[in-house]
């Protein structure tokens, strides 16, 4: 990578319920992923969260963390996506 960064954007969207932030944060911590920035809000009972995370310490394959986030999303009834920032930047460039 030219930038030298190993960061990603995680988005979480779904019906609000207790514990979403805690469970997502715990999964990330358990996999040595640091949260660099986080923004969350609730819009008419819809929970939305965007996280910038550092994948430098990740000890498993990125595809495995994607699978774990997808499983957690199913458990919580929310949609969780992760995109490497290089891909995110390319997709959202005008």
């Amino acid at each position: 990578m030219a930038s030298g960064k190993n960061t990603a954007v995680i988005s979480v969207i779904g019906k609000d319920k207790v514990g979403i932030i805690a469970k997502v944060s715990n999964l990330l911590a358990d996999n040595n992923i640091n949260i660099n920035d986080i923004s969350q809000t609730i819009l008419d009972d819809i929970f939305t969260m965007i996280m910038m995370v550092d994948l430098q310490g990740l000890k498993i394959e990125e595809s495995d963390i994607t699978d774990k986030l997808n499983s957690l999303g199913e458990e919580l009834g929310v949609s969780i996506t992760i995109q490497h920032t290089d891909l995110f930047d390319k997709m959202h460039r005008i």
Side-chain angles (χ1 to χ4, degrees):
M1 269 175 261
S3 65
K5 289 185 181 179
N6 193 9
T7 57
V9 176
I10 296 175
S11 62
V12 182
I13 301 172
K15 186 164 175 49
D16 187 34
K17 64 174 67 176
V18 173
I20 296 173
I21 295 172
K23 288 185 179 181
V24 172
S25 297
N26 284 334
L27 185 142
L28 297 176
D30 289 346
N31 288 280
N32 208 33
I33 297 171
N34 190 46
I35 299 169
N36 291 338
D37 200 359
I38 183 173
S39 173
Q40 72 87 37
T41 192
I42 299 167
L43 304 168
D44 197 24
D45 204 33
I46 302 297
F47 176 87
T48 61
M49 178 170 64
I50 304 290
M51 304 170 113
M52 294 294 298
V53 299
D54 184 346
L55 302 175
Q56 299 265 84
L58 185 62
K59 303 284 191 241
I60 62 174
E61 294 294 320
E62 288 184 33
S63 60
D64 292 337
I65 197 64
T66 300
D67 292 342
K68 287 183 179 199
L69 287 167
N70 287 333
S71 293
L72 180 59
E74 288 178 19
E75 174 189 323
L76 294 171
V78 298
S79 170
I80 304 177
T81 60
I82 182 169
Q83 287 183 305
H84 203 277
T85 51
D86 289 345
L87 175 62
F88 186 86
D89 288 344
K90 288 176 184 168
M91 288 178 56
H92 294 92
R93 192 174 299 162
I94 297 180

